Amino acid sequence: MIYLITGPSHAGKTLLAQKLLERFKVPYLCIDHLKMGLIRTGKTELTVEDDEKLTGYLWPIVREMIKTAIENKQNLIIEGCYVPFDWQKDFDEDYLKEIKFACLAMTDEYIQKHFKDIIKHESEIEKRLFDSDLTIKKIQADNHFFINGFTQTGQNVFLISSDYKKEFKNILKTFNYSYSP
């Protein structure tokens, strides 16, 4: 099974991937690590600021890794924001039945009410560099981008709207994960 997890920054993608890794003992690929490896080795002239171009650059690589893992009957968790909204078009039905997809996002109201908590938990799994430009409006805009893009292509978006822990547990259940803190 391939677990493909996407969504905006700060939504909980890395936390979900980590929980699935711990539960199912499945290898985990962070697309950000692939991105930084390609940028730092000079294999691309794109920078960390080129999000839209990075999706087009990274997705063909990730897509073929997914196909290879499925063909080899391997399980893999892939997490990152560089998944195109129409990702399903790249796979036939035999591949699609082996992929569990999740897009995590937060509502405007949740972000507005819980901005300090979002920042407080931003390094829950990995140590993030402090982003002094991060604002409620920026997080809301990023969430709108993912919510609109994936819902327009018929994808299910898991919305965090009131109680993060409770809603996160429900997301885990969709992956047949029984949660125990």
Side-chain angles (χ1 to χ4, degrees):
M1 183 61 57
I2 305 299
Y3 302 94
L4 182 58
I5 303 164
T6 194
S9 181
H10 294 80
K13 299 180 303 291
T14 307
L15 178 62
L16 178 57
Q18 183 68 32
K19 292 291 183 189
L20 294 174
L21 176 147
E22 291 169 3
R23 169 67 170 87
F24 297 120
K25 311 293 189 247
V26 172
Y28 157 32
L29 169 72
C30 174
I31 301 173
D32 276 340
H33 295 168
L34 175 62
K35 169 190 77 177
M36 292 310 298
L38 292 166
I39 289 171
R40 287 180 173 170
T41 59
K43 300 295 181 191
T44 181
E45 292 184 13
L46 297 173
T47 71
V48 295
E49 303 299 321
D50 297 319
D51 276 344
E52 195 170 314
K53 291 177 183 175
L54 281 164
T55 299
Y57 182 74
L58 295 168
W59 178 247
I61 299 166
V62 172
R63 176 193 66 217
E64 296 309 314
M65 292 172 72
I66 291 170
K67 289 179 181 177
T68 301
I70 291 171
E71 291 161 0
N72 292 336
K73 304 206 182 321
Q74 294 174 302
N75 298 312
L76 183 61
I77 300 163
I78 298 177
E79 171 269 314
C81 62
Y82 304 104
V83 177
F85 300 134
D86 61 351
W87 68 272
Q88 287 182 311
K89 74 172 177 40
D90 292 331
F91 301 97
D92 66 28
E93 272 307 309
D94 289 335
Y95 287 111
L96 287 173
K97 68 183 180 188
E98 297 296 325
I99 301 171
K100 283 196 173 213
F101 172 79
C103 176
L104 280 64
M106 298 175 282
T107 64
D108 283 349
E109 296 78 20
Y110 182 85
I111 295 164
Q112 186 76 37
K113 187 174 180 181
H114 299 280
F115 182 70
K116 287 182 181 176
D117 291 329
I118 292 167
I119 301 306
K120 183 172 118 181
H121 292 284
E122 72 181 356
S123 294
E124 196 81 13
I125 299 300
E126 62 186 354
K127 180 68 177 145
R128 290 177 181 253
L129 297 176
F130 178 71
D131 182 356
S132 61
D133 295 334
L134 192 63
T135 65
I136 290 173
K137 294 283 186 215
K138 181 171 181 353
I139 291 179
Q140 287 174 331
D142 288 348
N143 278 266
H144 281 256
F145 178 76
F146 279 86
I147 293 166
N148 294 336
F150 282 110
T151 55
Q152 287 177 7
T153 58
Q155 300 294 311
N156 185 28
V157 177
F158 294 99
L159 286 176
I160 306 297
S161 61
S162 61
D163 183 336
Y164 192 94
K165 286 183 181 182
K166 181 179 177 185
E167 291 165 347
F168 192 82
K169 286 179 189 178
N170 288 332
I171 295 167
L172 285 170
K173 287 179 188 175
T174 67
F175 287 97
N176 298 321
Y177 181 108
S178 53
Y179 186 81
S180 54

